[in-house]
Amino acid sequence: DTAVSQTPKYLVTQMGNDKSIKCEQNLGHDTMYWYKQDSKKFLKIMFSYNNKELIINETVPNRFSPKSPDKAHLNLHINSLELGDSAVYFCASSPRQTNTEAFFGQGTRLTVV
Amino acid sequence: AQSVTQLDSQVPVFEEAPVELRCNYSSSVSVYLFWYVQYPNQGLQLLLKYLSGSTLVESINGFEAEFNKSQTSFHLRKPSVHISDTAEYFCAVSEGTGRRALTFGSGTRLQVQP
């Protein structure tokens, strides 16, 4: 009965590889997000989708491409991975765009070696 | 643009002592305010939120926070902490218009010592 689930939980890969992180929510929410948490624990929004439509696209390298096949799923694909991409990536969802909290997944710890 | 400042990166405190974690925000429009807690190697869990109404909000495990519009603050307090409260605490703000995603502070590490 997990609300927001991400896979994988851990991902270790070499520089230059392409990888994907998957996210699914079973809460019936309209809005989904990707956040990045760096080594100093700072959390920053990367992308936000509302009903499969991209509504927030922060200053993120275009090697990062989100895809939302339906409103319950938001995947993150990363091309040509770099050392600086190492971080914890959190997926989240909320019932609507504003006036509400976000529900977070457990995170995916990405380590690029 | 909205921003959140958590002045204290770490707060060490003894068990059963009171604690206050400070949060100040900057925004030109109405805001919604949140505190999240992150235990080691876990995701973020909502602790409490202010959307409207009473400026004092409480969580089920004894934390409370007060929205102070004039001081643009949303400090988190607990009268008596437990070892199990040791975690990272994040203050977050969402604006009523515009960007609409949560903007987080840099976090405060609460370390409860026996």
Side-chain angles (χ1 to χ4, degrees), chain A residues 35 37 41-43 45 56 58 90 97-102 104-106 109, chain B residues 32 34 36 38 41-44 46 49 51 90 95-96 99-102 104:
Chain A
Y35 283 85
Q37 186 174 46
K41 301 277 188 180
F42 187 67
L43 279 149
I45 183 73
I56 292 177
E58 290 295 288
F90 285 100
Q97 292 184 53
T98 188
N99 192 22
T100 184
E101 68 270 31
F104 284 79
Q106 292 298 293
R109 183 175 294 275
Chain B
Y32 308 107
F34 308 86
Y36 281 83
Q38 185 179 27
N41 297 316
Q42 294 190 26
L44 284 83
L46 181 70
K49 61 185 177 184
L51 302 180
F90 293 93
E95 289 183 337
R99 194 166 177 270
R100 300 180 180 182
L102 293 175
F104 284 88

Side-chain angles (χ1 to χ4, degrees), chain B residues 25-39:
Chain B
Y25 68 91
S26 171
S27 175
S28 58
V29 299
S30 62
V31 295
Y32 308 107
L33 295 156
F34 308 86
W35 275 99
Y36 281 83
V37 59
Q38 185 179 27
Y39 299 103

Side-chain angles (χ1 to χ4, degrees), chain A residues 55-88:
Chain A
I55 55 173
I56 292 177
N57 184 352
E58 290 295 288
T59 308
V60 176
N62 58 15
R63 298 181 293 104
F64 290 77
S65 54
K67 283 189 173 51
S68 182
D70 55 63
K71 75 172 192 177
H73 295 84
L74 179 61
N75 304 321
L76 183 65
H77 189 74
I78 316 171
N79 288 327
S80 303
L81 278 155
E82 301 177 357
L83 292 176
D85 297 331
S86 296
V88 181

Side-chain angles (χ1 to χ4, degrees), chain B residues 24-107:
Chain B
N24 287 89
Y25 68 91
S26 171
S27 175
S28 58
V29 299
S30 62
V31 295
Y32 308 107
L33 295 156
F34 308 86
W35 275 99
Y36 281 83
V37 59
Q38 185 179 27
Y39 299 103
N41 297 316
Q42 294 190 26
L44 284 83
Q45 302 172 31
L46 181 70
L47 193 57
L48 43 75
K49 61 185 177 184
Y50 170 78
L51 302 180
S52 64
S54 172
T55 57
L56 183 65
V57 291
E58 298 176 353
S59 72
I60 57 173
N61 56 354
F63 283 93
E64 65 178 31
E66 186 160 19
F67 170 52
N68 188 319
K69 188 175 181 179
S70 62
Q71 297 187 8
T72 60
S73 68
F74 191 55
H75 300 330
L76 181 69
R77 292 186 287 264
K78 189 170 185 180
S80 176
V81 294
H82 303 289
I83 295 284
S84 60
D85 293 324
T86 294
E88 194 86 25
Y89 290 81
F90 293 93
C91 182
V93 62
S94 173
E95 289 183 337
T97 59
R99 194 166 177 270
R100 300 180 180 182
L102 293 175
T103 295
F104 284 88
S106 52

